[in-house]
């Protein structure tokens, strides 16, 4: 056993470590157990530095994260390729957890908002988004459909409490059955089943109502107002033609009725 130097990147900049190196004569493999204890990756980034780089890499492009965001946040100077490698590595680890069926995030019941009748309320929404694809060498390829869902407790503007970040997003290229199981697992970790009133919002896409019925059977399924309004606008244009004043008055009346009385 001897000690070897390693330059490590922390949130406060680079530091040099001297840690024990062990070599196994039987298998001819060497190891640095202290690296695992500290949580250093292969290039010596500490867990805190990895987290900050990943946060920047997921919120903005890799070049901007490298050249601007990280330097502003902490003074870290890392290359674009390093930001990409660390961010994608975190994504791979997260996907592995998903594939193994392991939940993520802290398991605790949220402080749910109350409706006009004093009932605690929880919301879930889902939408499908078409993602264009490109084959190798720029060849044409079929697009794919990604589902994006959200579990949340809306923050009431008049509430006399500090804002709480009570929202979780889930997205991916899954079939609805797999997507539903994983989303439902996350809902269970935030106290969804203890809520008095569950609300499910969708744009009325194919299969989404059934999705809610299977995975959130207690939820009241509501068609999103803005998607309904889009159809009302299309209908009013076809029905009233050039009579803009009549069309606008009719549309306002229907939208008001939709908001205050329901569909």
């Amino acid at each position: 056993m001897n000690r070897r130097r390693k330059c490590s990147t922390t949130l406060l900049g680079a530091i040099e470590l001297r840690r024990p190196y062990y070599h196994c004569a039987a298998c001819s493999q060497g190891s640095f157990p202290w690296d695992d204890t500290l949580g250093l990756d292969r290039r010596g980034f500490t867990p805190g530095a990895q987290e900050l780089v990943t946060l920047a890499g997921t919120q903005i492009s890799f070049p901007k994260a490298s050249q601007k965001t990280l330097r502003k946040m902490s003074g870290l100077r890392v290359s674009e390729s390093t930001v990409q490698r660390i961010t994608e590595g975190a994504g791979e680890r997260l996907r592995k957890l998903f594939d193994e069926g392991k939940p993520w995030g802290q398991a605790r019941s949220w402080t749910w908002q109350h409706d006009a009748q004093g009932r605690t309320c929880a919301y879930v929404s889902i939408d499908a988004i078409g993602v264009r694809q490109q084959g190798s060498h720029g060849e044409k390829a079929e697009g794919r459909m990604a589902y994006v869902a959200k579990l949340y407790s809306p923050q009431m503007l008049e509430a006399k409490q500090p804002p709480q970040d009570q929202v979780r997003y889930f997205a991916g290229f899954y079939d609805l059955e797999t997507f539903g199981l994983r989303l439902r697992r996350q809902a269970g970790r935030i106290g969804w089943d203890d809520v008095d009133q569950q609300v499910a919002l969708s744009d009325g896409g194919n299969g989404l109502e059934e999705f809610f019925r299977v995975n959130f059977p207690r939820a009241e399924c509501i068609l999103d107002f803005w998607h309904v309004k889009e159809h009302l606008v299309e209908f009013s244009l076809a029905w009233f033609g050039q009579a803009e004043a009549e069309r606008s008055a009719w549309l306002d009346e229907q939208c008001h009725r939709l908001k205050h009385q329901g569909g």
Side-chain angles (χ1 to χ4, degrees):
M1 187 270 287
N2 58 25
R3 291 181 178 274
R4 297 187 180 182
R5 292 186 175 90
K6 183 180 184 69
C7 185
S8 299
T9 302
T10 74
L11 289 176
L12 300 178
I15 61 172
E16 186 179 275
L17 299 175
R18 289 176 59 86
R19 71 268 198 259
Y21 171 76
Y22 296 88
H23 183 269
C24 177
C27 65
S28 299
Q29 297 294 320
S31 64
F32 296 93
W34 191 236
D35 287 7
D36 295 333
T37 301
L38 295 177
L40 302 179
D41 69 358
R42 185 169 58 86
R43 296 192 180 183
F45 279 76
T46 63
Q50 293 178 55
E51 183 177 359
L52 187 62
V53 171
T54 301
L55 179 63
T58 54
Q59 295 192 350
I60 200 168
S61 67
F62 299 141
K64 288 184 178 180
S66 166
Q67 299 163 16
K68 184 176 181 180
T69 308
L70 286 170
R71 296 185 186 186
K72 283 285 188 180
M73 288 195 297
S74 67
L76 282 179
R77 294 181 177 270
V78 296
S79 67
E80 173 187 341
S81 60
T82 298
V83 175
Q84 180 175 358
R85 175 183 56 80
I86 292 179
T87 303
E88 292 180 347
E92 287 292 339
R93 293 192 297 273
L94 185 59
R95 182 173 66 178
K96 183 179 179 181
L97 292 176
F98 284 157
D99 292 342
E100 294 173 353
K102 295 180 180 179
W104 52 271
Q106 185 180 5
R108 65 175 180 82
S109 184
W110 284 356
T111 304
W112 301 98
Q113 296 295 338
H114 293 75
D115 64 9
Q117 300 177 20
R119 301 173 300 180
T120 53
C121 293
Y123 289 78
V124 59
S125 63
I126 184 173
D127 199 0
I129 300 176
V131 180
R132 295 182 178 180
Q133 302 285 304
Q134 180 175 293
S136 58
H137 306 293
E139 297 175 351
K140 184 178 180 180
E142 290 292 329
R144 299 181 66 185
M145 191 68 72
Y147 288 103
V148 181
K150 177 181 177 182
L151 297 162
Y152 63 103
S153 175
Q155 184 66 42
M156 309 303 288
L157 296 178
E158 64 273 14
K160 296 180 180 179
Q161 297 179 353
Q164 300 183 55
D165 186 17
Q166 297 193 148
V167 57
R168 288 193 181 181
Y169 296 95
F170 188 64
F173 294 109
Y174 301 99
D175 59 77
L176 275 176
E177 182 178 357
T178 303
F179 192 86
L181 288 173
R182 297 186 176 185
L183 182 63
R184 189 67 184 82
R185 187 179 295 120
Q186 297 306 320
R189 291 179 65 80
I190 59 177
W192 176 277
D193 297 312
D194 301 326
V195 175
D196 300 323
Q197 178 65 63
Q198 301 173 1
V199 181
L201 296 170
S202 84
D203 63 355
N206 186 35
L208 297 188
E209 236 181 276
E210 178 67 10
F211 172 87
F212 287 134
R213 189 192 66 79
V214 171
N215 296 288
F216 301 92
R218 286 179 50 212
E220 184 75 22
C221 192
I222 298 177
L223 193 61
D224 179 75
F225 171 81
W226 297 109
H227 284 88
V228 178
K229 183 180 178 180
E230 287 179 0
H231 293 291
L232 288 174
V233 171
E234 293 174 358
F235 176 81
S236 67
L237 290 171
W239 183 260
F240 290 95
Q242 300 300 318
E244 179 59 28
E246 291 85 346
R247 186 190 76 82
S248 180
W250 178 87
L251 185 60
D252 288 344
E253 180 185 351
Q254 303 311 315
C255 288
H256 184 274
R257 180 181 300 171
L258 187 65
K259 270 192 171 182
H260 294 275
Q261 299 180 25

